[in-house]
Amino acid sequence: MACAKVPLDELHVIEPFGPQGKERSLPALHPDRKEERCFLTYKAPPEDGTPVLVEEFLENAQFISEDLEWLLALPHDKFWCQVVFDESLQRCLDSYLRHAPRSLDPSGLSCTPAVADMQRNIHRSVFMVFLRMATHKESKENFITPAVFAEIIYNNYLFDIPKILDLCVLFGKGNSQLLHKMIENIFTQQPSYYGDLNETIPSIIQVFDTILQKCGIQSEDTGTSQPLKLNANKCLTAMTMPEEELADLVLYLCDTCTTIHSFLDIFPEACSTFKEHNFLNRLSSFYEMAVPDLEKAVKKRNFDKRSNQKTLSLQEDMWRRISHSRKKMVEIAHLLLQHTCLQPILEGTENMVSYVEDLLQNFTVFLQEKRFLADYDEQFPVADDISLLQQAFPHLDDTRTTYLLQGVDSAWEFVGKKKSFPSSANHSAGAMGKAGRDLAASQKEGAGVLEDREELRGAEAMTDIPRKGDNGEVCTVSSGELESLLSHIRDLLPDLGEGFILACLEEYGYNSELVINNILEDNLSPSIDKLDRTMARPVKEELPSVLSTRSNVFDDDEFDVFNRDRLDMSRIWKGRRQGESVRATLNDKQHIEEQRARYQAYQTVVDEIPITNDPSGDGSNAFAMEDYDDEYDDTYDTNQIGANDLDEEDELLNRRPFTTPQVLRTGRQAREDNEDEDEEEEDKNEAVKKDQFIQDPAVLRERAEARRAAMQSRKGYRPPPSSNVAGGPKGRGQTQETVLDRRRKEANKSRGANHNRRTMADRKRNKGMIPS
């Protein structure tokens, strides 16, 4: 492969080619790199729930689901080769956008859970494929040059305006932010789509004209351009046309209004293009002419009751679709006014006067369409919009605003309804707060204020993503929800590791849309951006079992079943032991028998051992030895006494001094001997005193002084020289040492003696040593 960080359109790869496996260099986007795989076309679930049709749907859907999962798992270059050069894939995606059940379509999803689960899997996989197709930069290593990306999606018809409209109506709910980023990137990278949208709007307007023509109503815009045909009087009306044709007409209208509203709600930047074609006036005019006629036909015609237990009747279904279409047309008008007039005024743009005039002019045009104005004012009060104008633009003409409000009141009277709120320019602050809330809701949710409670979600995307609570705390997610979020992101970005995705989810409050947006836009927080994007999921450390960490006084005893495989079951019984009595317990001498062998070793006493000669010489006679004499002392047997002594002449004198016998002593010598004996006795007495418990303090002081002098000498301390302040007699002069000693004493005499008695007395008194 080529080096990293090269766009896919410039990347070349080396692959084997031919039967001999020779290598060749190919562009990363080349038809030869496409895998041979046939994608089946999608078929909607059966409405009647016939087992054979359900089985056929499940089998076909299973193939499609496996193929799409295989496609999403491909690396970046292989994915784009398959998308660009595989026509069967495009046919499969187009068939799903065309035949997937919408929100109000009666589908067979409720017949069996298996059908609903399969439809949900395909729905999710198709959305992931389109989302990846709309992303030109998946990571820092996998990306396409924006200009080349624009050419690829435009020239290969990967996206067009009908596909984008179908994507909005199918995947709008639950994925609005992600879908907005996706469509915004398509229109930003390839501005030619704005031109295609500009050419599509006249076709949408032609749909309204066709419906009017089918109902036998002459449009004001086309009435003067084309002459009436000769058989114009024979044209069918809503009351006379066949039921099937009327049902198709209502279905056509409902699908068109729902699709336009979903597109403008998700991509408000297209409102300016619709405004250029005067779409708002054409919509209000169509509403005023077609809706009353269709409602009258549905109410007064006698329809055949072709309902069963699982579907609604034809008349109920048509009435429901007309009501839904009315609401969506009013919301389309509010979206156009909101994003082309009100929002620029509130943002304080430079051309504010022109926007104010445009808004008032639109309201003035609505005055002619009484029914449309009354329905619009019921959902989005005109008085609230005018109040916002008065605050943002104080120079607003009060006469003109009063005229508009009176026109709104007359529209309510024409319809025959009663307003439940006042229509005054100077309304209360509560109304102003409601207007502000409606404005904020319209900016964020596309004016979805009055949702039809009976509206079916059908196959619309329903991704259960945890949100942050009102107090800012992140809601906890279960393990199943976490695995679903991981799979949701991994299908779109297979190159990322699960550990990195988990860190992103924790950082952004488990919001998968926000995580995908920040990854695709390379707008991650610094703490997440520095992580390895291929980081694996951390392995959970298994906690030790409770049995291995428990602590008990009975651990490892003979009845510890957790550490022993076998137990002596004879020592375990329930209740009182069978056959046991006090007498049997006392008579049980088993413990004595167990100890008998131990004490038998001590009772072997050999009094006399006959000594016999051991001819074998192997020492088998253990007692063949000399008799042991207990009275014999062998302590000094090994000492050689006198062997090393010197034989000198005065050997006996050295051992014991010579003493004169007492008989031969003189008187003086006897006294000296007695004194010596007395001194020896005194020495003995002193030695006895030294053994007393309390020693002489003087001796202890001498020993301490000696130890101190020795320690000071080891440390190199030299004591100060002794001072000689006395000196010699007067009149004879003094030595230099005496003079220095006296000078030193004079300088330091305050340190000792009685010169600091007062200071020391104060010190003792402060410490409580003497009473004050």
Side-chain angles (χ1 to χ4, degrees):
M1 300 293 290
C3 60
K5 296 186 179 180
V6 176
L8 183 63
D9 50 281
E10 300 178 4
L11 186 66
H12 285 72
V13 297
I14 298 176
E15 292 186 350
F17 174 72
Q20 298 180 356
K22 295 182 179 179
E23 294 184 349
R24 63 171 179 174
S25 177
L26 292 176
L29 286 176
H30 194 273
D32 292 345
R33 302 193 66 215
K34 174 179 70 70
E35 298 290 340
E36 294 298 332
R37 200 178 188 95
C38 181
F39 290 82
L40 302 178
T41 57
Y42 173 82
K43 295 180 181 180
E47 298 180 5
D48 53 358
T50 305
V52 177
L53 298 179
V54 168
E55 183 179 359
E56 180 184 359
F57 168 78
L58 292 176
E59 183 179 3
N60 184 71
Q62 181 66 28
F63 286 119
I64 296 176
S65 178
E66 292 176 357
D67 291 340
L68 293 180
E69 290 178 0
W70 169 83
L71 177 66
L72 290 171
L74 291 177
H76 186 251
D77 54 342
K78 290 284 188 178
F79 172 82
W80 278 100
C81 288
Q82 204 72 25
V83 167
V84 174
F85 303 112
D86 194 344
E87 297 180 356
S88 65
L89 172 61
Q90 296 304 321
R91 288 194 298 268
C92 175
L93 298 176
D94 292 346
S95 64
Y96 183 82
L97 296 180
R98 185 180 301 111
H99 299 295
R102 268 56 174 176
S103 59
L104 295 178
D105 291 345
S107 61
L109 298 180
S110 59
C111 58
T112 58
V115 175
D117 293 341
M118 185 59 66
Q119 175 65 26
R120 192 179 297 109
N121 292 336
I122 296 179
H123 188 84
R124 177 174 166 274
S125 300
V126 170
F127 177 69
M128 289 299 177
V129 170
F130 276 108
L131 186 59
R132 193 174 183 185
M133 287 167 53
T135 306
H136 69 282
K137 183 178 181 181
E138 292 186 1
S139 63
K140 294 181 180 180
E141 292 78 15
N142 301 323
F143 63 95
I144 305 176
T145 306
V148 178
F149 171 77
E151 294 180 1
I152 290 175
I153 63 175
Y154 192 78
N155 296 335
N156 294 280
Y157 296 95
L158 300 185
F159 291 98
D160 52 27
I161 299 302
K163 286 184 180 180
I164 295 175
L165 295 177
D166 289 334
L167 287 173
C168 292
V169 74
L170 284 175
F171 306 101
K173 285 190 177 181
N175 301 282
S176 57
Q177 295 182 359
L178 202 57
L179 200 58
H180 174 264
K181 294 289 184 182
M182 167 182 165
I183 299 176
E184 184 182 26
N185 186 56
I186 293 173
F187 277 82
T188 301
Q189 304 300 334
Q190 181 55 273
S192 299
Y193 283 107
Y194 281 106
D196 295 348
L197 179 62
N198 192 39
E199 297 177 0
T200 304
I201 296 176
S203 301
I204 298 175
I205 297 175
Q206 185 62 36
V207 172
F208 295 151
D209 294 338
T210 302
I211 294 175
L212 291 176
Q213 183 180 359
K214 293 288 184 179
C215 294
I217 302 172
Q218 187 66 29
S219 175
E220 297 179 358
D221 297 325
T222 59
T224 57
S225 60
Q226 296 179 358
L228 292 175
K229 297 182 179 180
L230 295 177
N231 57 352
N233 295 330
K234 298 181 181 180
C235 181
L236 299 177
T237 62
M239 293 293 296
T240 60
M241 69 174 59
E243 292 180 4
E244 292 79 3
E245 188 174 350
L246 178 61
D248 292 341
L249 202 63
V250 173
L251 178 62
Y252 193 24
L253 173 62
C254 180
D255 185 67
T256 302
C257 296
T258 304
T259 303
I260 296 173
H261 173 265
S262 300
F263 176 66
L264 295 179
D265 185 19
I266 294 173
F267 189 63
E269 290 83 351
C271 292
S272 58
T273 308
F274 278 81
K275 179 185 176 183
E276 295 174 358
H277 291 268
N278 199 20
F279 185 81
L280 186 58
N281 294 337
R282 299 295 298 273
L283 179 66
S284 61
S285 177
F286 170 79
Y287 186 97
E288 189 72 16
M289 291 186 293
V291 170
D293 194 52
L294 292 175
E295 287 184 346
K296 180 181 177 181
V298 173
K299 286 182 180 179
K300 296 186 176 181
R301 288 189 59 162
N302 295 324
F303 292 90
D304 296 334
K305 301 298 181 179
R306 287 177 290 181
S307 62
N308 52 35
Q309 296 179 356
K310 296 183 179 180
T311 60
L312 298 173
S313 66
L314 178 61
Q315 186 177 12
E316 292 174 351
D317 183 64
M318 291 174 61
W319 179 257
R320 187 182 179 196
R321 290 181 181 275
I322 291 177
S323 301
H324 182 76
S325 302
R326 288 179 55 189
K327 186 169 72 70
K328 292 303 178 183
M329 283 189 281
V330 171
E331 291 178 355
I332 290 171
H334 180 72
L335 285 174
L336 293 174
L337 291 177
Q338 176 70 37
H339 295 286
T340 59
C341 300
L342 280 176
Q343 189 171 349
I345 292 172
L346 297 177
E347 292 176 355
T349 55
E350 299 178 357
N351 240 350
M352 186 183 298
V353 179
S354 62
Y355 291 110
V356 172
E357 182 63 28
D358 192 10
L359 180 61
L360 295 177
Q361 183 63 32
N362 286 320
F363 283 148
T364 304
V365 174
F366 291 167
L367 294 178
Q368 302 175 5
E369 321 295 345
K370 302 292 185 179
R371 295 179 180 274
F372 176 80
L373 182 58
D375 292 344
Y376 180 89
D377 188 65
E378 183 178 3
Q379 295 191 33
F380 309 101
V382 178
D384 294 345
D385 295 338
I386 292 178
S387 177
L388 291 175
L389 285 180
Q390 289 176 343
Q391 294 186 11
F393 189 73
H395 304 289
L396 193 62
D397 187 4
D398 293 338
T399 305
R400 192 172 183 181
T401 57
T402 304
Y403 170 75
L404 290 176
L405 294 176
Q406 291 177 355
V408 173
D409 294 338
S410 64
W412 279 88
E413 295 176 359
F414 176 81
V415 177
K417 297 181 180 179
K418 292 182 180 181
K419 295 180 63 175
S420 59
F421 52 89
S423 59
S424 172
N426 299 324
H427 55 278
S428 63
M432 177 58 204
K434 182 178 183 300
R437 291 192 299 270
D438 289 345
L439 177 63
S442 62
Q443 290 177 348
K444 294 181 180 179
E445 301 178 3
V449 180
L450 299 177
E451 292 290 340
D452 188 359
R453 293 184 179 179
E454 297 180 356
E455 179 178 354
L456 297 178
R457 294 184 65 89
E460 292 177 352
M462 295 179 292
T463 307
D464 296 328
I465 301 173
R467 304 293 183 185
K468 288 188 177 181
D470 298 335
N471 56 357
E473 296 181 356
V474 179
C475 303
T476 57
V477 293
S478 62
S479 59
E481 292 173 342
L482 184 60
E483 294 298 331
S484 177
L485 293 176
L486 284 174
S487 176
H488 181 74
I489 300 176
R490 286 272 295 174
D491 289 342
L492 179 62
L493 304 171
D495 297 336
L496 300 180
E498 291 187 359
F500 179 76
I501 297 176
L502 279 176
C504 294
L505 288 173
E506 294 176 359
E507 178 71 17
Y508 296 105
Y510 296 94
N511 190 332
S512 60
E513 293 184 10
L514 188 58
V515 170
I516 295 174
N517 287 339
N518 291 333
I519 292 176
L520 296 180
E521 294 178 0
D522 199 11
N523 191 23
L524 296 172
S525 59
S527 60
I528 299 297
D529 195 22
K530 65 182 181 182
L531 297 177
D532 183 11
R533 300 206 171 195
T534 60
M535 181 174 58
R537 191 171 185 176
V539 180
K540 292 184 179 180
E541 297 182 359
E542 295 184 359
L543 297 177
S545 62
V546 179
L547 297 178
S548 61
T549 58
R550 73 185 183 103
S551 179
N552 195 288
V553 294
F554 302 107
D555 285 347
D556 298 326
D557 63 1
E558 58 177 330
F559 301 112
D560 190 359
V561 296
F562 301 109
N563 296 325
R564 292 179 179 268
D565 296 333
R566 295 182 179 180
L567 299 178
D568 186 5
M569 300 304 295
S570 62
R571 293 180 53 78
I572 301 175
W573 62 86
K574 183 177 181 181
R576 186 175 180 178
R577 192 171 184 179
Q578 298 295 332
E580 183 181 5
S581 62
V582 177
R583 185 176 300 277
T585 304
L586 296 177
N587 294 334
D588 186 7
K589 306 301 181 181
Q590 183 180 358
H591 62 284
I592 297 178
E593 297 297 334
E594 293 177 356
Q595 301 295 332
R596 186 182 301 278
R598 178 182 298 178
Y599 290 101
Q600 283 179 352
Y602 297 100
Q603 70 181 5
T604 304
V605 178
V606 182
D607 294 333
E608 294 181 0
I609 302 297
I611 300 175
T612 58
N613 294 329
D614 188 6
S616 61
D618 56 356
S620 59
N621 190 358
F623 299 99
M625 58 182 71
E626 297 180 358
D627 293 340
Y628 175 76
D629 188 2
D630 189 50
E631 300 298 333
Y632 177 74
D633 187 5
D634 58 352
T635 304
Y636 302 101
D637 285 352
T638 58
N639 295 340
Q640 297 179 2
I641 301 174
N644 298 326
D645 295 343
L646 298 177
D647 297 334
E648 298 179 357
E649 296 177 357
D650 55 350
E651 179 181 0
L652 298 177
L653 296 177
N654 289 337
R655 290 190 177 184
R656 183 176 182 182
F658 178 77
T659 57
T660 303
Q662 189 174 5
V663 178
L664 300 178
R665 292 181 186 178
T666 61
R668 182 178 180 181
Q669 189 176 4
R671 288 194 299 269
E672 291 177 358
D673 293 338
N674 292 333
E675 291 177 359
D676 293 337
E677 292 177 359
D678 293 339
E679 290 179 359
E680 292 178 359
E681 291 179 359
E682 291 179 359
D683 293 339
K684 291 181 180 180
N685 294 334
E686 291 179 358
V688 173
K689 291 181 180 179
K690 291 180 182 180
D691 295 335
Q692 294 178 358
F693 179 74
I694 300 176
Q695 299 183 10
D696 188 4
V699 176
L700 295 177
R701 284 194 295 270
E702 292 178 0
R703 293 177 181 175
E705 185 66 25
R707 288 195 301 270
R708 188 181 304 107
M711 181 180 64
Q712 291 178 353
S713 63
R714 288 196 302 270
K715 293 183 178 180
Y717 172 77
R718 294 192 308 174
S722 61
S723 61
N724 185 14
V725 296
K730 294 183 179 180
R732 297 183 181 180
Q734 304 295 336
T735 63
Q736 185 67 22
E737 294 180 358
T738 303
V739 174
L740 293 176
D741 291 340
R742 289 178 178 179
R743 188 180 301 170
R744 190 180 299 108
K745 177 182 178 182
E746 181 67 23
N748 300 322
K749 67 181 181 179
S750 62
R751 295 178 55 191
N754 294 327
H755 298 281
N756 56 353
R757 285 179 298 173
R758 184 179 299 276
T759 303
M760 297 304 296
D762 293 340
R763 180 179 180 186
K764 291 180 179 181
R765 185 179 294 107
N766 293 336
K767 291 186 176 182
M769 299 176 65
I770 58 177
S772 58

